[in-house]
Amino acid sequence: MSKIVSLAEAAALIHDGDHVALGGFAIARNATALVHELVRRRVRGLHISACILGIEADLLVGAGCVESVVYSGGSLDRFGQLGRVNEAVERRSVAIEYMSGLALTFRYMAGALGLPYMPVRSMLDSDLLPPLVAAGIAREERDPFGGGALVLVKALVPDVAVVHAQVADAEGNARVLGPRWDNDEAVAAAKRVIVVADEIVERGEITAMPELTLVPSFRTSALVHLPFAAHPTAVYRRYDYDADHLRLYAEATRSQRTFDEYVERYVRSTDHAAYLAAVGGEAKLAALAADGRLGY
Amino acid sequence: MATRTGAFTTSELMVVAGARELREGELAFVGLGIPQVAAALAQRTHARGLVVLNEIGLADPRPVEFGVGNADPRHWYGASVMGGFVDVMGKLLHRGLVDVGFLGALEVDAYGNANATEVRREDGSIRRFGGGGGANDIASLARSTILIIRHERRKLVEKVAHLTDPGRGVRSVLTDKCVFGVDPSTRRLVVRSVHPGIGRDELRDATGFALDIPERVPTTEAPTAEELRLIREVIDPERLYTKAF
């Protein structure tokens, strides 16, 4: 059965107040087009999480869609900071659960395994731990088998995980190439999974190398087929990040006024096709195409 | 700050000092910039078996050009294995197999505790940065850490504004003025070597915590001609990280 839906139909599966695990890592494999659609739909009150936040999170926070952020870090790498996320944290206009990357991954893993919590040896004797203990999502305990101090981190079960994949078949078997950071655990923990894929292939291509499948069809709620849906971030073996656009975005996100102008021009007044045209069209996209040997 | 002390820049000196902190056969996380150049130099000199890990989920890359961060596929090229966070940060780091993490920081205190989260502006408000990511995991779980930071009063502080990465396993702290080791009895940072041309007063003035400078302290060993050739011609020919700081 085909899981393919339009971008708007996929975005409609994300409701006000949902917890959404975002699949990007800094400037790699962000589900940007889907996030644009959420901004256009003026979704509100989202709780978002990812080990390393990227432009996905910054767009959602800057556009006022977010109530809380669960994360360990985030940036546009050397292009700059996530200006909207950092300012919202400074001004406490979003709540945060800030923890080590492994602690957050283990929270997803506990969710993925149906366990209530997971022990981890990070964060002891640091300023990360007390706020998490106060919020009731971490506890410091002794190893019951005599092995010393442990931190128990509470399972995280997102309502939705959003992930960008290089390819998928129409049934929703999604293949991700390259490193997968926290994607395996976040996807497995989530109640619903939305996949955005650059290319749709025959099932036979997936089953020829099933070990590369990140999301099996029976865990995929909806699949969107949209080339360059991760622009301006990099998709390994398909296209490079767009340094020009990331520079432009990094500058825009330094203030709410310039961010709002950016969103008006590149998000609210466009659809995905118009966005790609606005960022440089065919010539730009051709220049971003990955070299088969290098992968970027 | 492209200071040339003799025939090399301060950042070249830091690369070489950093490389010498890395040992043959180690499993290492190395941050962007000078740590990465240092690891590449170590791999071409005394530590051919040094294996670099990237928290994004890969090991032993052999990049042919520098990128903009961990998420840049330029830093993934040539990796022998790709997986997820759990494969690297879990099954290697949490498992206790990682020897060293070479990390940057916003602030470091006299005990090597590092801040990777936020600093206080002069008006008292908080300036938030990108966050530590896996840095706390590395500081908590690797056998040792090497920290790198610009040597300024506001960065080498008595108390960090946010203790993100505990200094439990600090091997050394590398700055643009000196190399710190750790006094085994007090656990405080102690100057191990001073970079050429840096005086004791300058060092003390640029440090925000009470500084312990031994009576006789060696000068940081200068790069060899071969090390400079490797940095300039092989590792960083574009001079992205070794022109200045």
PDB file of all heavy atoms in Angstrom, chain A residues 72-74 90 98 100-102 121-123 127 180-181 240-241 293 296, chain B residues 56 65 68 72 74 77 83 85 94 117 126 128 130 132-133 136-137 163:
ATOM      1  N   SER A  72      20.855  18.683  23.056  1.00  0.00           N
ATOM      2  CA  SER A  72      22.183  18.733  23.678  1.00  0.00           C
ATOM      3  C   SER A  72      23.048  19.805  23.041  1.00  0.00           C
ATOM      4  O   SER A  72      24.025  20.250  23.640  1.00  0.00           O
ATOM      5  CB  SER A  72      22.876  17.374  23.589  1.00  0.00           C
ATOM      6  OG  SER A  72      23.281  17.077  22.276  1.00  0.00           O
ATOM      7  N   GLY A  73      22.714  20.198  21.827  1.00  0.00           N
ATOM      8  CA  GLY A  73      23.490  21.244  21.170  1.00  0.00           C
ATOM      9  C   GLY A  73      22.853  21.561  19.839  1.00  0.00           C
ATOM     10  O   GLY A  73      21.824  20.986  19.469  1.00  0.00           O
ATOM     11  N   GLY A  74      23.474  22.502  19.137  1.00  0.00           N
ATOM     12  CA  GLY A  74      22.944  22.840  17.824  1.00  0.00           C
ATOM     13  C   GLY A  74      23.638  24.059  17.274  1.00  0.00           C
ATOM     14  O   GLY A  74      24.042  24.940  18.028  1.00  0.00           O
ATOM     15  N   GLU A  90      17.778  32.239  25.981  1.00  0.00           N
ATOM     16  CA  GLU A  90      18.211  33.362  26.828  1.00  0.00           C
ATOM     17  C   GLU A  90      17.006  34.066  27.453  1.00  0.00           C
ATOM     18  O   GLU A  90      17.033  34.437  28.620  1.00  0.00           O
ATOM     19  CB  GLU A  90      19.003  34.381  25.997  1.00  0.00           C
ATOM     20  CG  GLU A  90      20.387  33.906  25.599  1.00  0.00           C
ATOM     21  CD  GLU A  90      21.017  34.770  24.501  1.00  0.00           C
ATOM     22  OE1 GLU A  90      20.430  35.806  24.124  1.00  0.00           O
ATOM     23  OE2 GLU A  90      22.100  34.382  24.013  1.00  0.00           O
ATOM     24  N   TYR A  98      17.944  20.439  28.612  1.00  0.00           N
ATOM     25  CA  TYR A  98      19.277  20.474  27.996  1.00  0.00           C
ATOM     26  C   TYR A  98      20.124  19.397  28.652  1.00  0.00           C
ATOM     27  O   TYR A  98      20.275  19.389  29.879  1.00  0.00           O
ATOM     28  CB  TYR A  98      19.854  21.873  28.225  1.00  0.00           C
ATOM     29  CG  TYR A  98      21.296  22.071  27.828  1.00  0.00           C
ATOM     30  CD1 TYR A  98      21.723  21.872  26.515  1.00  0.00           C
ATOM     31  CD2 TYR A  98      22.243  22.494  28.769  1.00  0.00           C
ATOM     32  CE1 TYR A  98      23.042  22.080  26.155  1.00  0.00           C
ATOM     33  CE2 TYR A  98      23.551  22.714  28.409  1.00  0.00           C
ATOM     34  CZ  TYR A  98      23.958  22.504  27.103  1.00  0.00           C
ATOM     35  OH  TYR A  98      25.268  22.710  26.757  1.00  0.00           O
ATOM     36  N   SER A 100      23.236  15.921  27.886  1.00  0.00           N
ATOM     37  CA  SER A 100      24.303  15.459  26.988  1.00  0.00           C
ATOM     38  C   SER A 100      23.683  14.703  25.808  1.00  0.00           C
ATOM     39  O   SER A 100      22.569  14.184  25.895  1.00  0.00           O
ATOM     40  CB  SER A 100      25.277  14.551  27.737  1.00  0.00           C
ATOM     41  OG  SER A 100      24.758  13.241  27.834  1.00  0.00           O
ATOM     42  N   GLY A 101      24.424  14.643  24.731  1.00  0.00           N
ATOM     43  CA  GLY A 101      23.930  13.968  23.533  1.00  0.00           C
ATOM     44  C   GLY A 101      23.610  12.509  23.772  1.00  0.00           C
ATOM     45  O   GLY A 101      22.599  11.985  23.284  1.00  0.00           O
ATOM     46  N   LEU A 102      24.466  11.859  24.546  1.00  0.00           N
ATOM     47  CA  LEU A 102      24.236  10.440  24.808  1.00  0.00           C
ATOM     48  C   LEU A 102      23.009  10.261  25.710  1.00  0.00           C
ATOM     49  O   LEU A 102      22.224   9.330  25.514  1.00  0.00           O
ATOM     50  CB  LEU A 102      25.478   9.834  25.470  1.00  0.00           C
ATOM     51  CG  LEU A 102      25.595   8.319  25.403  1.00  0.00           C
ATOM     52  CD1 LEU A 102      25.531   7.809  23.973  1.00  0.00           C
ATOM     53  CD2 LEU A 102      26.891   7.867  26.067  1.00  0.00           C
ATOM     54  N   ARG A 121      26.229   6.984  32.297  1.00  0.00           N
ATOM     55  CA  ARG A 121      27.270   7.454  33.215  1.00  0.00           C
ATOM     56  C   ARG A 121      27.709   8.882  32.920  1.00  0.00           C
ATOM     57  O   ARG A 121      28.646   9.370  33.518  1.00  0.00           O
ATOM     58  CB  ARG A 121      28.496   6.524  33.157  1.00  0.00           C
ATOM     59  CG  ARG A 121      28.279   5.220  33.867  1.00  0.00           C
ATOM     60  CD  ARG A 121      29.601   4.542  34.204  1.00  0.00           C
ATOM     61  NE  ARG A 121      29.383   3.155  34.540  1.00  0.00           N
ATOM     62  CZ  ARG A 121      29.377   2.176  33.645  1.00  0.00           C
ATOM     63  NH1 ARG A 121      29.621   2.437  32.374  1.00  0.00           N
ATOM     64  NH2 ARG A 121      29.140   0.944  34.018  1.00  0.00           N
ATOM     65  N   SER A 122      27.041   9.565  31.993  1.00  0.00           N
ATOM     66  CA  SER A 122      27.370  10.960  31.702  1.00  0.00           C
ATOM     67  C   SER A 122      26.712  11.886  32.732  1.00  0.00           C
ATOM     68  O   SER A 122      25.874  11.445  33.513  1.00  0.00           O
ATOM     69  CB  SER A 122      26.851  11.341  30.312  1.00  0.00           C
ATOM     70  OG  SER A 122      27.364  10.477  29.346  1.00  0.00           O
ATOM     71  N   MET A 123      27.100  13.135  32.685  1.00  0.00           N
ATOM     72  CA  MET A 123      26.441  14.264  33.359  1.00  0.00           C
ATOM     73  C   MET A 123      26.666  14.325  34.872  1.00  0.00           C
ATOM     74  O   MET A 123      26.288  15.303  35.509  1.00  0.00           O
ATOM     75  CB  MET A 123      24.925  14.301  33.064  1.00  0.00           C
ATOM     76  CG  MET A 123      24.601  14.346  31.586  1.00  0.00           C
ATOM     77  SD  MET A 123      22.905  14.846  31.237  1.00  0.00           S
ATOM     78  CE  MET A 123      21.995  13.484  31.963  1.00  0.00           C
ATOM     79  N   ASP A 127      26.761  20.725  35.702  1.00  0.00           N
ATOM     80  CA  ASP A 127      25.572  21.574  35.860  1.00  0.00           C
ATOM     81  C   ASP A 127      24.415  21.110  34.982  1.00  0.00           C
ATOM     82  O   ASP A 127      23.331  21.691  35.025  1.00  0.00           O
ATOM     83  CB  ASP A 127      25.907  23.035  35.515  1.00  0.00           C
ATOM     84  CG  ASP A 127      26.748  23.703  36.596  1.00  0.00           C
ATOM     85  OD1 ASP A 127      26.853  23.124  37.704  1.00  0.00           O
ATOM     86  OD2 ASP A 127      27.292  24.791  36.333  1.00  0.00           O
ATOM     87  N   ARG A 180      24.016   8.167  10.877  1.00  0.00           N
ATOM     88  CA  ARG A 180      22.588   8.294  11.210  1.00  0.00           C
ATOM     89  C   ARG A 180      22.349   8.961  12.562  1.00  0.00           C
ATOM     90  O   ARG A 180      21.226   8.998  13.041  1.00  0.00           O
ATOM     91  CB  ARG A 180      21.943   6.901  11.202  1.00  0.00           C
ATOM     92  CG  ARG A 180      21.976   6.230   9.838  1.00  0.00           C
ATOM     93  CD  ARG A 180      21.165   4.940   9.826  1.00  0.00           C
ATOM     94  NE  ARG A 180      21.673   3.953  10.756  1.00  0.00           N
ATOM     95  CZ  ARG A 180      22.646   3.088  10.482  1.00  0.00           C
ATOM     96  NH1 ARG A 180      23.227   3.100   9.301  1.00  0.00           N
ATOM     97  NH2 ARG A 180      23.047   2.232  11.395  1.00  0.00           N
ATOM     98  N   TRP A 181      23.416   9.418  13.212  1.00  0.00           N
ATOM     99  CA  TRP A 181      23.344  10.089  14.531  1.00  0.00           C
ATOM    100  C   TRP A 181      22.282   9.457  15.414  1.00  0.00           C
ATOM    101  O   TRP A 181      22.362   8.258  15.697  1.00  0.00           O
ATOM    102  CB  TRP A 181      23.270  11.609  14.393  1.00  0.00           C
ATOM    103  CG  TRP A 181      22.406  12.226  13.305  1.00  0.00           C
ATOM    104  CD1 TRP A 181      21.128  12.669  13.470  1.00  0.00           C
ATOM    105  CD2 TRP A 181      22.760  12.503  11.925  1.00  0.00           C
ATOM    106  NE1 TRP A 181      20.673  13.195  12.277  1.00  0.00           N
ATOM    107  CE2 TRP A 181      21.634  13.117  11.324  1.00  0.00           C
ATOM    108  CE3 TRP A 181      23.890  12.301  11.161  1.00  0.00           C
ATOM    109  CZ2 TRP A 181      21.608  13.520   9.985  1.00  0.00           C
ATOM    110  CZ3 TRP A 181      23.884  12.702   9.822  1.00  0.00           C
ATOM    111  CH2 TRP A 181      22.754  13.295   9.255  1.00  0.00           C
ATOM    112  N   ASP A 240      25.263  18.570  -1.699  1.00  0.00           N
ATOM    113  CA  ASP A 240      26.049  19.255  -0.684  1.00  0.00           C
ATOM    114  C   ASP A 240      25.169  20.295   0.006  1.00  0.00           C
ATOM    115  O   ASP A 240      24.108  20.674  -0.510  1.00  0.00           O
ATOM    116  CB  ASP A 240      27.233  19.948  -1.370  1.00  0.00           C
ATOM    117  CG  ASP A 240      28.402  20.207  -0.421  1.00  0.00           C
ATOM    118  OD1 ASP A 240      28.283  19.929   0.782  1.00  0.00           O
ATOM    119  OD2 ASP A 240      29.443  20.694  -0.910  1.00  0.00           O
ATOM    120  N   TYR A 241      25.620  20.783   1.166  1.00  0.00           N
ATOM    121  CA  TYR A 241      24.939  21.935   1.753  1.00  0.00           C
ATOM    122  C   TYR A 241      25.171  23.147   0.853  1.00  0.00           C
ATOM    123  O   TYR A 241      26.146  23.215   0.108  1.00  0.00           O
ATOM    124  CB  TYR A 241      25.426  22.213   3.183  1.00  0.00           C
ATOM    125  CG  TYR A 241      26.920  22.365   3.335  1.00  0.00           C
ATOM    126  CD1 TYR A 241      27.552  23.580   3.071  1.00  0.00           C
ATOM    127  CD2 TYR A 241      27.709  21.294   3.743  1.00  0.00           C
ATOM    128  CE1 TYR A 241      28.916  23.722   3.193  1.00  0.00           C
ATOM    129  CE2 TYR A 241      29.081  21.417   3.867  1.00  0.00           C
ATOM    130  CZ  TYR A 241      29.679  22.644   3.589  1.00  0.00           C
ATOM    131  OH  TYR A 241      31.037  22.770   3.702  1.00  0.00           O
ATOM    132  N   ARG A 293      32.162   9.826  -5.890  1.00  0.00           N
ATOM    133  CA  ARG A 293      33.280   9.240  -5.150  1.00  0.00           C
ATOM    134  C   ARG A 293      33.417   9.870  -3.756  1.00  0.00           C
ATOM    135  O   ARG A 293      33.622   9.196  -2.764  1.00  0.00           O
ATOM    136  CB  ARG A 293      34.569   9.436  -5.943  1.00  0.00           C
ATOM    137  CG  ARG A 293      35.768   8.678  -5.406  1.00  0.00           C
ATOM    138  CD  ARG A 293      37.017   8.979  -6.233  1.00  0.00           C
ATOM    139  NE  ARG A 293      37.352  10.387  -6.224  1.00  0.00           N
ATOM    140  CZ  ARG A 293      38.126  10.980  -5.299  1.00  0.00           C
ATOM    141  NH1 ARG A 293      38.631  10.265  -4.323  1.00  0.00           N
ATOM    142  NH2 ARG A 293      38.389  12.271  -5.358  1.00  0.00           N
ATOM    143  N   TYR A 296      29.931  14.176  -1.499  1.00  0.00           N
ATOM    144  CA  TYR A 296      29.447  15.546  -1.268  1.00  0.00           C
ATOM    145  C   TYR A 296      29.721  16.414  -2.477  1.00  0.00           C
ATOM    146  O   TYR A 296      30.394  15.973  -3.409  1.00  0.00           O
ATOM    147  CB  TYR A 296      30.110  16.166  -0.037  1.00  0.00           C
ATOM    148  CG  TYR A 296      31.619  16.182  -0.016  1.00  0.00           C
ATOM    149  CD1 TYR A 296      32.359  17.174  -0.667  1.00  0.00           C
ATOM    150  CD2 TYR A 296      32.330  15.175   0.660  1.00  0.00           C
ATOM    151  CE1 TYR A 296      33.742  17.182  -0.635  1.00  0.00           C
ATOM    152  CE2 TYR A 296      33.716  15.175   0.694  1.00  0.00           C
ATOM    153  CZ  TYR A 296      34.426  16.179   0.053  1.00  0.00           C
ATOM    154  OH  TYR A 296      35.785  16.178   0.072  1.00  0.00           O
TER     155      TYR A 296
ATOM    156  N   ILE B  56      28.997  12.015  15.278  1.00  0.00           N
ATOM    157  CA  ILE B  56      27.849  11.899  14.380  1.00  0.00           C
ATOM    158  C   ILE B  56      27.574  10.438  14.021  1.00  0.00           C
ATOM    159  O   ILE B  56      26.471  10.072  13.616  1.00  0.00           O
ATOM    160  CB  ILE B  56      28.079  12.764  13.124  1.00  0.00           C
ATOM    161  CG1 ILE B  56      26.767  13.107  12.431  1.00  0.00           C
ATOM    162  CG2 ILE B  56      29.064  12.108  12.162  1.00  0.00           C
ATOM    163  CD1 ILE B  56      26.877  14.240  11.428  1.00  0.00           C
ATOM    164  N   GLU B  65      39.961  17.206   2.473  1.00  0.00           N
ATOM    165  CA  GLU B  65      39.876  18.662   2.633  1.00  0.00           C
ATOM    166  C   GLU B  65      39.116  18.936   3.923  1.00  0.00           C
ATOM    167  O   GLU B  65      38.397  18.082   4.426  1.00  0.00           O
ATOM    168  CB  GLU B  65      39.175  19.317   1.435  1.00  0.00           C
ATOM    169  CG  GLU B  65      37.774  18.796   1.188  1.00  0.00           C
ATOM    170  CD  GLU B  65      37.206  19.290  -0.145  1.00  0.00           C
ATOM    171  OE1 GLU B  65      37.264  20.499  -0.392  1.00  0.00           O
ATOM    172  OE2 GLU B  65      36.704  18.443  -0.907  1.00  0.00           O
ATOM    173  N   VAL B  68      33.307  22.333   7.507  1.00  0.00           N
ATOM    174  CA  VAL B  68      32.856  23.387   8.419  1.00  0.00           C
ATOM    175  C   VAL B  68      32.374  22.842   9.765  1.00  0.00           C
ATOM    176  O   VAL B  68      31.971  23.625  10.626  1.00  0.00           O
ATOM    177  CB  VAL B  68      31.744  24.238   7.774  1.00  0.00           C
ATOM    178  CG1 VAL B  68      32.251  24.950   6.540  1.00  0.00           C
ATOM    179  CG2 VAL B  68      30.523  23.381   7.433  1.00  0.00           C
ATOM    180  N   ASP B  72      29.648  18.120   8.308  1.00  0.00           N
ATOM    181  CA  ASP B  72      30.090  18.326   6.927  1.00  0.00           C
ATOM    182  C   ASP B  72      30.642  17.016   6.364  1.00  0.00           C
ATOM    183  O   ASP B  72      31.608  16.471   6.897  1.00  0.00           O
ATOM    184  CB  ASP B  72      31.172  19.413   6.898  1.00  0.00           C
ATOM    185  CG  ASP B  72      31.527  19.833   5.481  1.00  0.00           C
ATOM    186  OD1 ASP B  72      31.390  19.014   4.555  1.00  0.00           O
ATOM    187  OD2 ASP B  72      31.956  20.990   5.307  1.00  0.00           O
ATOM    188  N   ARG B  74      32.598  16.423   4.210  1.00  0.00           N
ATOM    189  CA  ARG B  74      34.043  16.464   3.968  1.00  0.00           C
ATOM    190  C   ARG B  74      34.808  15.755   5.089  1.00  0.00           C
ATOM    191  O   ARG B  74      35.873  15.198   4.866  1.00  0.00           O
ATOM    192  CB  ARG B  74      34.520  17.920   3.849  1.00  0.00           C
ATOM    193  CG  ARG B  74      34.217  18.511   2.475  1.00  0.00           C
ATOM    194  CD  ARG B  74      34.104  20.014   2.490  1.00  0.00           C
ATOM    195  NE  ARG B  74      33.518  20.471   1.226  1.00  0.00           N
ATOM    196  CZ  ARG B  74      32.215  20.385   0.933  1.00  0.00           C
ATOM    197  NH1 ARG B  74      31.368  19.864   1.804  1.00  0.00           N
ATOM    198  NH2 ARG B  74      31.757  20.774  -0.237  1.00  0.00           N
ATOM    199  N   TYR B  77      34.709  11.617   4.805  1.00  0.00           N
ATOM    200  CA  TYR B  77      35.316  10.912   3.678  1.00  0.00           C
ATOM    201  C   TYR B  77      36.348   9.888   4.165  1.00  0.00           C
ATOM    202  O   TYR B  77      37.201  10.193   5.005  1.00  0.00           O
ATOM    203  CB  TYR B  77      35.986  11.915   2.724  1.00  0.00           C
ATOM    204  CG  TYR B  77      36.604  11.239   1.528  1.00  0.00           C
ATOM    205  CD1 TYR B  77      35.805  10.751   0.505  1.00  0.00           C
ATOM    206  CD2 TYR B  77      37.981  11.035   1.462  1.00  0.00           C
ATOM    207  CE1 TYR B  77      36.361  10.097  -0.577  1.00  0.00           C
ATOM    208  CE2 TYR B  77      38.545  10.389   0.374  1.00  0.00           C
ATOM    209  CZ  TYR B  77      37.728   9.915  -0.644  1.00  0.00           C
ATOM    210  OH  TYR B  77      38.276   9.263  -1.700  1.00  0.00           O
ATOM    211  N   GLY B  83      27.717   4.585  11.295  1.00  0.00           N
ATOM    212  CA  GLY B  83      26.556   4.083  12.009  1.00  0.00           C
ATOM    213  C   GLY B  83      25.872   5.245  12.668  1.00  0.00           C
ATOM    214  O   GLY B  83      25.704   6.293  12.050  1.00  0.00           O
ATOM    215  N   PHE B  85      24.970   7.476  16.596  1.00  0.00           N
ATOM    216  CA  PHE B  85      25.511   7.999  17.846  1.00  0.00           C
ATOM    217  C   PHE B  85      25.850   6.869  18.821  1.00  0.00           C
ATOM    218  O   PHE B  85      26.897   6.873  19.463  1.00  0.00           O
ATOM    219  CB  PHE B  85      24.410   8.883  18.447  1.00  0.00           C
ATOM    220  CG  PHE B  85      24.898  10.125  19.111  1.00  0.00           C
ATOM    221  CD1 PHE B  85      25.402  11.169  18.366  1.00  0.00           C
ATOM    222  CD2 PHE B  85      24.832  10.256  20.485  1.00  0.00           C
ATOM    223  CE1 PHE B  85      25.839  12.334  18.982  1.00  0.00           C
ATOM    224  CE2 PHE B  85      25.258  11.408  21.107  1.00  0.00           C
ATOM    225  CZ  PHE B  85      25.766  12.451  20.364  1.00  0.00           C
ATOM    226  N   HIS B  94      31.001   5.087  25.890  1.00  0.00           N
ATOM    227  CA  HIS B  94      30.363   4.663  27.145  1.00  0.00           C
ATOM    228  C   HIS B  94      30.913   3.318  27.600  1.00  0.00           C
ATOM    229  O   HIS B  94      31.009   3.039  28.798  1.00  0.00           O
ATOM    230  CB  HIS B  94      28.841   4.606  26.954  1.00  0.00           C
ATOM    231  CG  HIS B  94      28.067   4.705  28.232  1.00  0.00           C
ATOM    232  ND1 HIS B  94      27.673   3.604  28.941  1.00  0.00           N
ATOM    233  CD2 HIS B  94      27.630   5.780  28.944  1.00  0.00           C
ATOM    234  CE1 HIS B  94      27.015   3.988  30.030  1.00  0.00           C
ATOM    235  NE2 HIS B  94      26.977   5.308  30.047  1.00  0.00           N
ATOM    236  N   THR B 117      28.394  25.982  27.215  1.00  0.00           N
ATOM    237  CA  THR B 117      26.960  26.260  27.146  1.00  0.00           C
ATOM    238  C   THR B 117      26.613  27.736  27.014  1.00  0.00           C
ATOM    239  O   THR B 117      25.938  28.142  26.072  1.00  0.00           O
ATOM    240  CB  THR B 117      26.271  25.691  28.406  1.00  0.00           C
ATOM    241  OG1 THR B 117      26.535  24.294  28.461  1.00  0.00           O
ATOM    242  CG2 THR B 117      24.771  25.928  28.374  1.00  0.00           C
ATOM    243  N   ILE B 126      22.618  36.624  30.101  1.00  0.00           N
ATOM    244  CA  ILE B 126      23.218  35.371  29.643  1.00  0.00           C
ATOM    245  C   ILE B 126      23.326  35.366  28.125  1.00  0.00           C
ATOM    246  O   ILE B 126      22.375  35.727  27.431  1.00  0.00           O
ATOM    247  CB  ILE B 126      22.338  34.173  30.091  1.00  0.00           C
ATOM    248  CG1 ILE B 126      22.361  34.023  31.613  1.00  0.00           C
ATOM    249  CG2 ILE B 126      22.771  32.878  29.417  1.00  0.00           C
ATOM    250  CD1 ILE B 126      23.687  33.606  32.180  1.00  0.00           C
ATOM    251  N   ARG B 128      23.754  32.710  25.252  1.00  0.00           N
ATOM    252  CA  ARG B 128      23.685  31.276  25.037  1.00  0.00           C
ATOM    253  C   ARG B 128      24.429  30.897  23.755  1.00  0.00           C
ATOM    254  O   ARG B 128      24.285  31.561  22.726  1.00  0.00           O
ATOM    255  CB  ARG B 128      22.214  30.862  24.914  1.00  0.00           C
ATOM    256  CG  ARG B 128      21.970  29.383  24.940  1.00  0.00           C
ATOM    257  CD  ARG B 128      21.941  28.842  26.346  1.00  0.00           C
ATOM    258  NE  ARG B 128      21.730  27.407  26.326  1.00  0.00           N
ATOM    259  CZ  ARG B 128      21.577  26.664  27.410  1.00  0.00           C
ATOM    260  NH1 ARG B 128      21.607  27.214  28.598  1.00  0.00           N
ATOM    261  NH2 ARG B 128      21.391  25.356  27.305  1.00  0.00           N
ATOM    262  N   GLY B 130      25.835  27.325  21.250  1.00  0.00           N
ATOM    263  CA  GLY B 130      25.221  26.138  20.658  1.00  0.00           C
ATOM    264  C   GLY B 130      25.032  24.961  21.578  1.00  0.00           C
ATOM    265  O   GLY B 130      24.196  24.100  21.336  1.00  0.00           O
ATOM    266  N   GLY B 132      26.847  21.874  24.388  1.00  0.00           N
ATOM    267  CA  GLY B 132      27.966  20.941  24.426  1.00  0.00           C
ATOM    268  C   GLY B 132      27.835  19.747  23.500  1.00  0.00           C
ATOM    269  O   GLY B 132      28.824  19.117  23.159  1.00  0.00           O
ATOM    270  N   GLY B 133      26.604  19.406  23.101  1.00  0.00           N
ATOM    271  CA  GLY B 133      26.442  18.187  22.300  1.00  0.00           C
ATOM    272  C   GLY B 133      26.963  16.993  23.083  1.00  0.00           C
ATOM    273  O   GLY B 133      26.520  16.735  24.197  1.00  0.00           O
ATOM    274  N   ASN B 136      30.037  16.719  27.071  1.00  0.00           N
ATOM    275  CA  ASN B 136      29.945  16.213  28.440  1.00  0.00           C
ATOM    276  C   ASN B 136      30.171  14.703  28.477  1.00  0.00           C
ATOM    277  O   ASN B 136      30.831  14.186  29.378  1.00  0.00           O
ATOM    278  CB  ASN B 136      28.583  16.542  29.064  1.00  0.00           C
ATOM    279  CG  ASN B 136      28.387  15.786  30.372  1.00  0.00           C
ATOM    280  OD1 ASN B 136      27.971  14.636  30.378  1.00  0.00           O
ATOM    281  ND2 ASN B 136      28.752  16.413  31.474  1.00  0.00           N
ATOM    282  N   ASP B 137      29.629  13.996  27.495  1.00  0.00           N
ATOM    283  CA  ASP B 137      29.836  12.542  27.436  1.00  0.00           C
ATOM    284  C   ASP B 137      31.326  12.222  27.314  1.00  0.00           C
ATOM    285  O   ASP B 137      31.835  11.321  27.986  1.00  0.00           O
ATOM    286  CB  ASP B 137      29.081  11.947  26.243  1.00  0.00           C
ATOM    287  CG  ASP B 137      27.585  12.213  26.309  1.00  0.00           C
ATOM    288  OD1 ASP B 137      26.968  11.852  27.322  1.00  0.00           O
ATOM    289  OD2 ASP B 137      27.051  12.807  25.342  1.00  0.00           O
ATOM    290  N   LEU B 163      29.070  24.611  34.344  1.00  0.00           N
ATOM    291  CA  LEU B 163      30.007  23.478  34.340  1.00  0.00           C
ATOM    292  C   LEU B 163      29.412  22.385  33.441  1.00  0.00           C
ATOM    293  O   LEU B 163      28.668  21.527  33.906  1.00  0.00           O
ATOM    294  CB  LEU B 163      30.262  22.965  35.766  1.00  0.00           C
ATOM    295  CG  LEU B 163      31.528  22.148  35.987  1.00  0.00           C
ATOM    296  CD1 LEU B 163      31.785  21.915  37.471  1.00  0.00           C
ATOM    297  CD2 LEU B 163      31.525  20.817  35.242  1.00  0.00           C
TER     298      LEU B 163
END
